[in-house]
């Protein structure tokens, strides 16, 4: 604790009782406090600068924009007898964008754009009033529990004029543009645009952009896509234009940034989405009617360009499913089911080729999250997914027995499962699986309920869905569940499952018939598809033919994942 910090329990202005420190910055210390009259929590910011007018300017600016939902609200501000100044604001129950990304990983571009749109509209009105924030960063934007975002800390905000000069200009290496480094710099709305675009890049990649000083010496600012962000090229170009070093060539108005991103990632209402889908169907019908005679040519053109169109600038993984050991009937049924699983798992972003009972599929590598493709493919797509249901034993996992040093805990070998109910038919024994607020509710048929012998009528009893229990898969998957007491349903606990599986695929595993036979599978090397027509120089995964002389050999390496490929369900012939 520093000398000027307030002690817990201190009372300010006869109303605000200090609870704890929740933040510290260059302009003040922020406390959580309780309004003893209303019983509501507040955030109280204490001045630690010698100039109270400088500090209270923040309160007056925030008061002017108190109607903006995306800006933290000022409720009160005052000075105490010791000349300390305080600002009382609404208490925000959330985390900074930096903490949100650190804990949960980068945002999806569409999700982030929609969440930040109210902030951009608020900045547009703030700029229209002649004020700029000057300190936008992932640390000054609060991510709320409902997914909204609020702009904080207007301690650096100023009204700007044509030849504005100030003694102090805040500077954050990765988020402040050059004009905030220069003593004679002239900030404007384009200053906030640079900081906001840099913040968006951080939220999409989890990496701070290159600092401005380094860029002034040698500009090597990396695009978000080069750092793994799944972003459309037009949106990326817009962000890069917002981070141009020279203010003269940078985006000038926040409305240009907001409008551009909104056109690329529109936030549609249900009615607008239906109308958009209707127009798409009409366009497809017109195209189909007008192109019947040229169908052959279009098929060839689509085959040549499909990778570029679907996967431009995206890292992909190739999956090989080998069905050559199946009968023709097994392959027909299993390939159709595997394709449906892949469609659900990838969100519809996949390519599919079949030849001689071998399937080659291409998917974005981002769909696997932190899981390796080699573990994810069998867990989601290639194995039969036959369901066994087992009831958990209520006996303790350990029992005490006398040993050389007294009574010692010994594992109760028979305590894990009280009863294995055996095979359950997804299409006959399970009526439905539906995501509800409490979790995924699985409802059994009347015939299946009888097999539980009253177990489902007791609330809070535990059981497990185990896939392929009697198969020799190296990594079995299972879901734990708990009974609801209604006599026919349980709630699935999928929170501990390592692989992120979409609800639609979980429902398919639980309610659709399993594969007739397993696929032997392998996953090939990661590839980034690049549009060479847009590049003057070769990209990360390209080489210009003119750069080669004499004979050239193309080598592709893949590390060995196991010394026993058969055990891991690989077909060694596919990796040769």
């Amino acid at each position: 604790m520093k000398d000027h910090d307030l002690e817990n329990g201190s009372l300010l202005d006869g109303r605000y009782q200090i609870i704890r420190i929740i933040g510290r910055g260059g302009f003040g210390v922020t406390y959580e406090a309780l309004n003893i009259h209303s019983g509501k929590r507040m955030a109280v910011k204490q001045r630690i600068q010698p100039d109270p007018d400088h500090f209270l300017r923040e309160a007056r600016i925030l008061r002017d924009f108190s109607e903006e939902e995306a800006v933290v609200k000022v409720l009160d501000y005052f000075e105490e007898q010791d000349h300390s100044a305080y600002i009382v604001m609404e208490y925000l129950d959330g985390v900074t964008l930096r903490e949100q990304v650190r804990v949960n990983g980068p945002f999806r571009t569409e999700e982030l754009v929609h969440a930040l749109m109210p902030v951009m509209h608020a900045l547009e009105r703030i700029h229209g009033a002649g004020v700029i924030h000057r300190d936008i960063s992932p640390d000054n934007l609060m991510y709320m529990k409902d997914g909204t975002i609020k702009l904080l800390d207007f301690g650096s905000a100023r009204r700007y004029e044509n030849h504005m000069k100030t003694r102090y200009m805040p500077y954050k290496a990765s988020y402040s543009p050059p004009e905030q480094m220069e003593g004679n710099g002239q900030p404007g709305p384009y200053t906030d645009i640079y900081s906001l675009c840099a913040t968006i890049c951080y939220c999409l990649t989890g990496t701070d952009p290159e600092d401005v000083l380094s860029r002034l010496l040698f500009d090597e600012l990396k695009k978000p896509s080069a750092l793994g962000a799944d972003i459309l090229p037009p949106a990326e170009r817009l962000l890069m234009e917002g981070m141009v070093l020279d203010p003269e060539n940078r985006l000038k108005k926040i409305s240009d940034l907001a409008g551009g991103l909104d056109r690329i990632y529109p936030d549609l209402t249900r009615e607008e989405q239906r109308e958009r889908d209707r127009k798409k169907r009409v366009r497809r019908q017109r195209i189909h009617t007008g192109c019947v005679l040229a169908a052959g040519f279009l098929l060839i053109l689509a085959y040549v360009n499909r990778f570029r169109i679907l996967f431009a600038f995206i890292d992909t993984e190739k999956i090989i499913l080998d069905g050559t050991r199946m009968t023709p009937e097994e392959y027909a049924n299993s390939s159709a089911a595997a394709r449906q699983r892949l469609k659900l798992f990838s969100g519809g972003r996949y390519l599919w080729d079949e030849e001689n009972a071998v399937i080659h599929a291409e998917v974005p590598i981002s769909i696997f999250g932190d899981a390796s493709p080699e573990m994810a493919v069998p867990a989601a797509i290639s194995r039969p997914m036959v369901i066994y249901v087992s009831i958990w034993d209520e006996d303790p996992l350990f029992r005490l027995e006398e040993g050389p040093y007294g009574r010692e805990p010994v594992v109760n070998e028979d305590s894990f499962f009280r009863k294995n109910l055996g095979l359950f038919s997804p299409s006959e024994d399970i009526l439905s699986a539906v995501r509800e607020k409490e979790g995924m509710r699985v409802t059994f048929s009347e015939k299946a309920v009888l097999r539980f012998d009253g177990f489902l009528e007791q609330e809070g009893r535990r059981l497990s869905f185990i896939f392929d229990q009697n198969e020799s898969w190296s990594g079995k998957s299972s879901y734990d569940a708990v009974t609801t007491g209604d006599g026919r349903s349980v709630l699935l606990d999928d929170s501990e499952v390592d692989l992120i599986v979409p609800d639609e695929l979980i429902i398919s595993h639980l309610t659709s018939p399993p594969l007739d036979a397993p696929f032997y599978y392998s996953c090939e090397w990661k590839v980034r598809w690049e549009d060479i027509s847009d590049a003057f120089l070769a990209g990360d995964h390209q080489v210009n033919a003119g750069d080669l002389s004499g004979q050239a050999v193309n080598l592709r390496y893949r590390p060995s994942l196991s010394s026993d490929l058969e055990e891991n369900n690989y077909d060694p012939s596919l990796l040769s």
Side-chain angles (χ1 to χ4, degrees), residues 476-487:
K476 292 184 173 62
S477 59
S478 65
Y479 292 114
D480 295 334
V482 62
T483 58
T484 62
D486 64 0

Side-chain angles (χ1 to χ4, degrees), residues 282-353:
V282 171
R283 284 198 298 269
R284 283 197 297 266
Q285 291 169 356
R286 290 174 179 171
I287 292 172
H288 176 73
T289 302
C291 297
V292 170
L293 296 178
F297 171 76
L298 290 176
L299 284 173
I300 295 172
L301 186 63
Y303 183 84
V304 172
N305 289 284
R306 59 186 179 155
F307 292 109
R308 182 175 298 171
I309 294 169
L310 185 61
F311 291 138
F313 308 101
I314 294 176
D315 290 340
T316 64
E317 184 87 15
K318 177 172 285 187
I319 300 168
I320 300 175
L321 304 180
D322 179 12
T324 55
R325 307 183 192 186
M326 302 179 187
T327 66
E329 293 77 16
E330 287 175 339
Y331 177 77
N333 294 332
S334 296
S335 61
R339 183 165 189 167
Q340 178 64 13
R341 290 179 182 179
L342 182 64
K343 179 180 179 181
L344 297 174
F345 186 52
S346 67
R349 302 185 68 186
Y350 71 98
L351 297 171
W352 182 277
D353 281 325

Side-chain angles (χ1 to χ4, degrees), residues 342-408:
L342 182 64
K343 179 180 179 181
L344 297 174
F345 186 52
S346 67
R349 302 185 68 186
Y350 71 98
L351 297 171
W352 182 277
D353 281 325
E354 297 183 47
E355 184 177 359
N356 299 325
V358 176
I359 298 165
H360 293 256
E362 198 85 29
V363 295
I365 199 168
S366 58
I367 70 172
F368 298 107
D370 295 332
S372 68
E374 288 78 11
M375 293 297 294
V377 170
I381 300 166
S382 65
R383 39 201 275 194
M385 290 298 178
V386 177
I387 301 175
Y388 292 79
V389 176
S390 295
I391 296 174
W392 285 36
D393 200 329
E394 294 302 309
D395 292 338
L397 183 60
F398 297 95
R399 65 176 184 273
L400 294 177
E401 289 187 358
E402 291 294 337
Y405 304 103
R407 292 175 64 80
E408 299 176 348

Side-chain angles (χ1 to χ4, degrees), residues 31-233:
Y31 303 87
E32 179 184 352
L34 179 71
N35 187 324
I36 60 175
H37 299 310
S38 67
K40 292 183 178 180
R41 285 192 298 173
M42 309 289 178
V44 177
K45 189 171 182 179
Q46 175 194 24
R47 169 187 64 85
I48 60 174
Q49 294 176 321
D51 181 8
D53 291 336
H54 175 93
F55 179 72
L56 293 178
R57 187 184 298 115
E58 175 183 4
R60 290 189 286 270
I61 290 174
L62 280 170
R63 181 194 57 191
D64 292 343
F65 301 105
S66 60
E67 298 302 317
E68 298 291 344
E69 288 296 326
V71 176
V72 61
K73 288 181 173 54
V74 166
L75 306 173
D76 192 9
Y77 55 94
F78 56 89
E79 290 187 65
E80 292 282 37
Q81 293 181 352
D82 61 355
H83 303 294
S84 296
Y86 298 90
I87 303 175
V88 181
M89 299 171 285
E90 63 175 325
Y91 181 84
L92 300 179
D93 190 8
V95 297
T96 65
L97 282 181
R98 183 176 297 280
E99 183 67 11
Q100 175 69 14
V101 171
R102 188 187 70 80
V103 173
N104 297 294
F107 282 82
R108 290 185 302 107
T109 307
E110 188 171 10
E111 173 194 6
L112 181 65
V113 167
H114 294 168
L116 278 175
M117 198 59 66
V119 174
M120 288 188 271
H121 291 325
L123 278 173
E124 184 179 355
R125 289 183 281 271
I126 290 170
H127 291 167
V131 174
I132 55 175
H133 186 280
R134 300 199 312 168
D135 198 17
I136 296 173
S137 72
D139 303 293
N140 284 334
L141 286 158
M142 184 71 76
Y143 186 77
M144 310 300 290
K145 289 185 176 180
D146 61 359
T148 58
I149 297 176
K150 291 214 176 194
L151 183 59
L152 314 177
D153 201 345
F154 277 68
S156 304
R158 291 289 183 279
R159 299 190 180 276
Y160 64 92
E161 299 173 356
N162 288 337
H163 298 287
M164 186 178 82
K165 302 288 189 300
T166 61
R167 291 181 303 163
Y168 173 79
M169 300 210 358
Y171 172 71
K172 291 182 178 177
S174 296
Y175 300 94
S176 299
E179 61 266 24
Q180 285 187 247
M181 291 179 58
E182 303 164 359
N184 58 350
Q186 183 178 324
Y190 43 81
T191 302
D192 284 347
I193 290 174
Y194 183 101
S195 302
L196 182 59
C197 288
T199 298
I200 293 174
C201 288
Y202 169 79
C203 291
L204 297 179
T205 65
T207 302
D208 289 312
E210 185 181 12
D211 67 89
V212 172
L213 182 59
S214 298
R215 291 188 63 194
L216 289 171
L217 296 174
F218 190 66
D219 192 359
E220 289 186 318
L221 180 64
K222 291 184 178 179
K223 295 180 179 179
S225 60
L227 296 171
D230 187 3
I231 182 173
L232 294 175

